[in-house]
Amino acid sequence: MASTTSFLAATQARRSMYALAKESPISNKRIIEIVEHAIKHAPSPFNVRSTRCVVLLGAEHDKLWEHAYEITEKTTPQAIGILGPKIKGFGAAYGTCMFFDDSTAVNDLTPRFAALSGQYPEWFEHSNGMHQYIVWTALEAEGLGCNLQHYQPSITPFVTNEWKIPETWSLKCQLVFGKPTAGPGDEKPKRPMEDCLKVYGN
């Protein structure tokens, strides 16, 4: 099926790209539509829909990575020589989508399902990861390069205060995106499939 082939081709094309320009081949409206699509359609435990997103564009995106540089330089000065250029590179990109999980979303569940969900917090991590993957893959298919970063918890207080984030939202990651100015680099060798997949039955 063409739709299946298109999806598989998109998953194969998705790679981490770090050489990104402050340009986008698609409109801001289209970027937001992609994030909205993930929020609406990604799986979540008990359909609880606990993933939250904040998209930063223009000066707001710059503000995030300027702070990330400052806090890294302040808290881990020994690492700024390595991390500093990377953070500057994130700031040079077009935008950032921050992913959160809202702990109050389970309040909408029945007491039985709320109690059950509390026993398996990894289910919410799985759902958040699927949201990230959908957005990343869709942006890739639209001609944007992306890379996924995890500068929490050092940037969390700033993020919470600057963009009025509810205290119940837990920051999970930052997806940086922009127009690629170079390829993703050589693919790393992959393990043989027989080491990764077992099939029983016919």
Side-chain angles (χ1 to χ4, degrees):
M1 295 173 60
S3 60
T4 302
T5 302
S6 176
F7 172 74
L8 294 178
T11 63
Q12 183 176 354
R14 185 219 54 79
R15 300 275 303 280
S16 292
M17 294 192 184
Y18 299 98
L20 304 174
K22 203 172 287 296
E23 302 174 44
S24 174
I26 59 176
S27 68
N28 291 347
K29 179 182 177 182
R30 179 59 179 153
I31 293 170
I32 301 306
E33 287 174 350
I34 287 171
V35 177
E36 289 178 342
H37 183 92
I39 292 172
K40 290 178 182 177
H41 300 294
S44 64
F46 309 112
N47 200 32
V48 74
R49 304 288 165 195
S50 62
T51 294
R52 307 286 183 261
C53 295
V54 173
V55 178
L56 302 177
L57 301 166
E60 300 301 307
H61 161 82
D62 297 341
K63 198 183 298 182
L64 173 69
W65 295 108
E66 286 167 3
H67 174 76
Y69 188 95
E70 292 170 2
I71 197 67
T72 301
E73 187 175 40
K74 179 180 179 180
T75 59
T76 53
Q78 70 278 10
I80 199 65
I82 296 174
L83 295 179
K86 292 183 178 181
I87 297 172
K88 294 285 188 182
F90 306 147
Y94 187 78
T96 302
C97 181
M98 299 188 291
F99 291 82
F100 302 78
D101 190 80
D102 183 0
S103 61
T104 64
V106 297
N107 295 343
D108 296 329
L109 297 176
T110 64
R112 182 168 72 90
F113 285 131
L116 181 61
S117 69
Q119 298 176 40
Y120 300 98
E122 67 270 22
W123 292 351
F124 298 92
E125 299 290 344
H126 299 165
S127 178
N128 204 281
M130 286 187 276
H131 283 75
Q132 298 162 30
Y133 188 76
I134 290 171
V135 174
W136 188 347
T137 305
L139 290 178
E140 169 76 32
E142 296 276 6
L144 283 158
C146 306
N147 59 78
L148 194 66
Q149 300 304 317
H150 303 85
Y151 277 78
Q152 72 281 356
S154 62
I155 65 171
T156 301
F158 175 80
V159 168
T160 300
N161 180 69
E162 186 67 28
W163 292 288
K164 307 300 184 287
I165 305 300
E167 293 182 0
T168 59
W169 291 22
S170 174
L171 181 59
K172 298 300 180 182
C173 66
Q174 306 84 50
L175 183 69
V176 181
F177 55 87
K179 181 180 178 181
T181 59
D186 296 333
E187 267 194 274
K188 294 181 180 179
K190 291 183 170 59
R191 287 183 176 275
M193 190 54 63
E194 56 267 26
D195 291 350
C196 305
L197 174 66
K198 296 183 184 296
V199 178
Y200 300 95
N202 188 3

